Amino acid sequence: MNRLTAIAPAMLLLVACAVGPNYHAPATPPAVVHNAAAAAFLPRDPEAAWWQEFDDPELDGLERRALAANLDLRIAIDRVRAARAVFVERNYDYAPHVPMQVGYAKSVEQEPGFGLSRITAESDSVGFDATWEIDLFGHVRRSVEAARADLGAERASLRDAEVTVAAEVARNYFELRGAQKRLGVARANLASEGQTLELTQLRDEAGRGAELDVQRSRARLEAIEATIPPLEAAESQGAYRLAVLLGERPGTLDDELQPGPAPIYAKQLPIGDATELLRRRPDVRIAERQLAAATARVGIATADLFPRVNVTGFVGFLSGDLGRLFSTTPPNDARAWSVTPTVTWAAFDLGSVRARLHASQAQSDAAAANYEKVVLLALEDAENSFLMYSKRQARLKSLNAQAQASRRAAELADIQYREGVADFLVLLDAQRTQLDAEDAVAEAETGVNVAVIAIYKALGGIAQPTSDGPPARIAQARQPPIAPSVD
């Protein structure tokens, strides 16, 4: 007992040691987004659920349903659960593993010194085996660190999936509304062109027009009609995609997503503190956690260069007579115990161990480079999204002015053509310009809304995905695991 008391502090000191590099998160300077300084942006925080900035109840409902039922989120949640289970299992390696063991053995052997006579030997045992690795060089500790980092990466992947799903729902919704608006423009122009065709036919029949004008008008009518089928397909495809994002079958939302108004974001955009985007972005967090896991695995490979000490033991009952298996009185006392320390060391295979160590170090270097790349890509993404929003707003402003002027020009050309003052080509060109301008406005409005989505996605989704908090199963997946730990 005195010997064990003297050895225990030394063992605890050794257990507290761990070879290999200790991980330190990269010191990354705050983000500087130059295009975020434009007058189109406000430094105040947006709504916790950023899509609520559009004030569209239909969009808000779609987002909430997607976050509750999307299959990509379900996959991400299950991966978090799996990573958490691995982390819990690694933590249990700090403590002895104690399985229950029941055994029965029977053997028939030749009895020595008595010719061909044989004896039968039986033994029964019941008790508990115990195996414990004394973590002298941090093999267990580094394994726990790697599992913890893997769990953090999966949690960040879940957050990334939430941001992606929310952005995809909003993008497809606005593209669907844009297709519906462009369809409305095309159908209105188709009706107007039909009236023009009737007018040219009447003028031709009255001898005041020409067959050439009739054919030109009919060609223009067919050209407008040809733009409708692709827009109808885009509308249906958008509805199908939204249904799948909500975890439903294509076609389920067709009745719900009938043509309706789509709000156009034409005000200053609140973005919060853009310098915090690297802290918010899930992809940066994923890369950082992957680097932490790779660093821990270098420690695991380094620990393999040193001996590993395991202690195995047995406590229970052992007897050759089943009837006396649980006897505790001499001379038939069946109680038994054993303690067996073992040392394993790849002393003659260190070349293979060093090769694995070099591979782990290379993977850690690659993870560090990947982290730096992800940071740069995040900054690039942010700059591009802010720039695109500003430019698309400016383009929409110009296109609105063009559409207003083209509508007035078409009205004047129609009046002059009816009065016989203007040639039909003037009217035809004015109508074509009006249709192109109105279609461009509808497309540009969609582009502005999609640019807003790109900004909030580049900022990492800003805050939690919904103002009321994430769905219960997502919140549960984010909870830290409960597991024994001595680190």
Side-chain angles (χ1 to χ4, degrees):
M1 180 63 67
N2 292 335
R3 183 179 300 175
L4 289 175
T5 304
I7 294 176
M11 293 180 63
L12 291 175
L13 181 61
L14 287 172
V15 169
C17 298
V19 297
N22 293 317
Y23 176 72
H24 300 284
T28 305
V32 178
V33 185
H34 300 90
N35 289 305
F41 308 108
L42 289 174
R44 74 169 176 83
D45 291 332
E47 295 286 344
W50 54 262
W51 53 84
Q52 292 179 352
E53 293 288 340
F54 291 98
D55 297 322
D56 190 330
E58 180 66 30
L59 174 61
D60 187 56
L62 292 172
E63 291 284 3
R64 292 177 182 275
R65 289 154 63 188
L67 291 173
N70 181 266
L71 295 179
D72 287 330
L73 291 182
R74 185 185 302 177
I75 294 170
I77 289 169
D78 289 336
R79 287 177 175 168
V80 171
R81 292 171 57 195
R84 180 188 294 161
V86 172
F87 176 55
V88 171
E89 181 185 8
R90 293 285 80 82
N91 269 273
Y92 278 116
D93 288 341
Y94 282 118
H97 295 272
V98 187
M100 185 175 181
Q101 182 252 334
V102 178
Y104 167 75
K106 179 178 181 180
S107 62
V108 180
E109 301 177 358
Q110 182 174 339
E111 187 175 2
F114 293 91
L116 298 179
S117 61
R118 294 176 177 273
I119 59 173
T120 300
E122 297 184 15
S123 65
D124 303 276
S125 64
V126 60
F128 296 93
D129 286 324
T131 304
W132 179 38
E133 179 179 351
I134 302 175
D135 195 26
L136 297 180
F137 300 100
H139 190 279
V140 174
R141 179 180 294 273
R142 298 305 189 191
S143 297
V144 171
E145 290 178 2
R148 181 187 293 111
D150 288 337
L151 175 57
E154 291 298 340
R155 284 178 175 156
S157 295
L158 171 58
R159 174 60 180 157
D160 189 49
E162 292 172 3
V163 172
T164 300
V165 167
E168 283 298 296
V169 169
R171 182 179 66 82
N172 281 275
Y173 174 76
F174 285 123
E175 288 179 350
L176 178 141
R177 291 302 190 202
Q180 290 175 337
K181 185 168 185 177
R182 293 178 67 191
L183 265 173
V185 170
R187 287 167 176 162
N189 279 275
L190 183 66
S192 176
E193 191 60 42
Q195 295 174 356
T196 301
L197 176 60
E198 291 178 2
L199 175 62
T200 56
Q201 289 174 334
L202 291 174
R203 289 173 62 88
D204 180 48
E205 293 171 358
R208 298 170 53 195
E211 175 68 17
L212 179 60
D213 291 345
V214 174
Q215 296 305 321
R216 284 172 174 169
S217 180
R218 180 173 288 112
R220 180 61 182 161
L221 181 71
E222 296 295 337
I224 296 174
E225 195 166 13
T227 64
I228 292 178
L231 293 174
E232 290 176 335
E235 179 187 19
S236 296
Q237 289 171 349
Y240 296 159
R241 183 60 189 151
L242 282 170
V244 173
L245 287 169
L246 268 62
E248 301 179 7
R249 294 192 173 189
T252 307
L253 302 179
D254 289 355
D255 293 336
E256 179 180 344
L257 296 174
Q258 291 299 312
I264 308 304
Y265 204 93
K267 55 186 179 181
Q268 287 182 300
L269 183 65
I271 59 173
D273 186 1
T275 63
E276 293 293 312
L277 76 89
L278 294 178
R279 185 182 60 83
R280 294 190 187 119
R281 282 185 64 117
D283 55 345
V284 175
R285 178 62 175 170
I286 293 170
E288 186 273 331
R289 290 288 82 199
Q290 289 174 341
L291 174 57
T295 303
R297 291 188 174 96
V298 173
I300 296 173
T302 304
D304 288 338
L305 292 171
F306 300 91
R308 297 176 66 176
V309 178
N310 289 272
V311 178
T312 59
F314 172 80
V315 177
F317 298 89
L318 177 64
S319 175
D321 185 350
L322 182 60
R324 298 175 178 175
L325 179 61
F326 297 102
S327 174
T328 60
T329 60
N332 298 313
D333 190 349
R335 291 177 295 186
W337 64 271
S338 66
V339 176
T340 307
T342 60
V343 177
T344 58
W345 184 29
F348 299 101
D349 195 25
L350 291 179
S352 297
V353 176
R354 289 194 179 95
R356 291 195 296 270
L357 174 59
H358 293 159
S360 299
Q361 290 170 336
Q363 291 167 356
S364 177
D365 293 341
N370 179 68
Y371 174 80
E372 295 178 7
K373 184 188 78 168
V374 169
V375 168
L376 293 179
L377 290 176
L379 295 173
E380 179 189 18
D381 184 28
E383 292 286 8
N384 287 336
S385 61
F386 278 94
L387 176 64
M388 190 60 65
Y389 176 77
S390 298
K391 299 305 180 184
R392 285 184 177 178
Q393 282 282 24
R395 180 173 182 268
L396 177 59
K397 182 179 179 180
S398 298
L399 287 174
N400 276 323
Q402 179 196 11
Q404 184 177 0
S406 65
R407 281 192 292 270
R408 180 58 180 161
E411 292 172 359
L412 294 174
D414 182 66
I415 294 173
Q416 292 177 2
Y417 176 71
R418 291 175 183 273
E419 294 176 350
V421 178
D423 183 76
F424 181 70
L425 283 178
V426 175
L427 173 61
L428 197 64
D429 183 67
Q431 290 177 336
R432 181 187 301 110
T433 302
Q434 178 188 0
L435 173 60
D436 292 343
E438 291 177 345
D439 184 74
V441 167
E443 189 175 12
E445 288 173 346
T446 300
V448 168
N449 287 339
V450 171
V452 174
I453 298 166
I455 284 179
Y456 285 130
K457 186 178 180 182
L459 292 174
I462 300 294
Q464 295 298 326
T466 63
S467 56
D468 297 332
R473 58 193 181 88
I474 295 179
Q476 183 180 9
R478 289 179 179 159
Q479 294 303 314
I482 300 175
S485 176
V486 298
D487 57 342

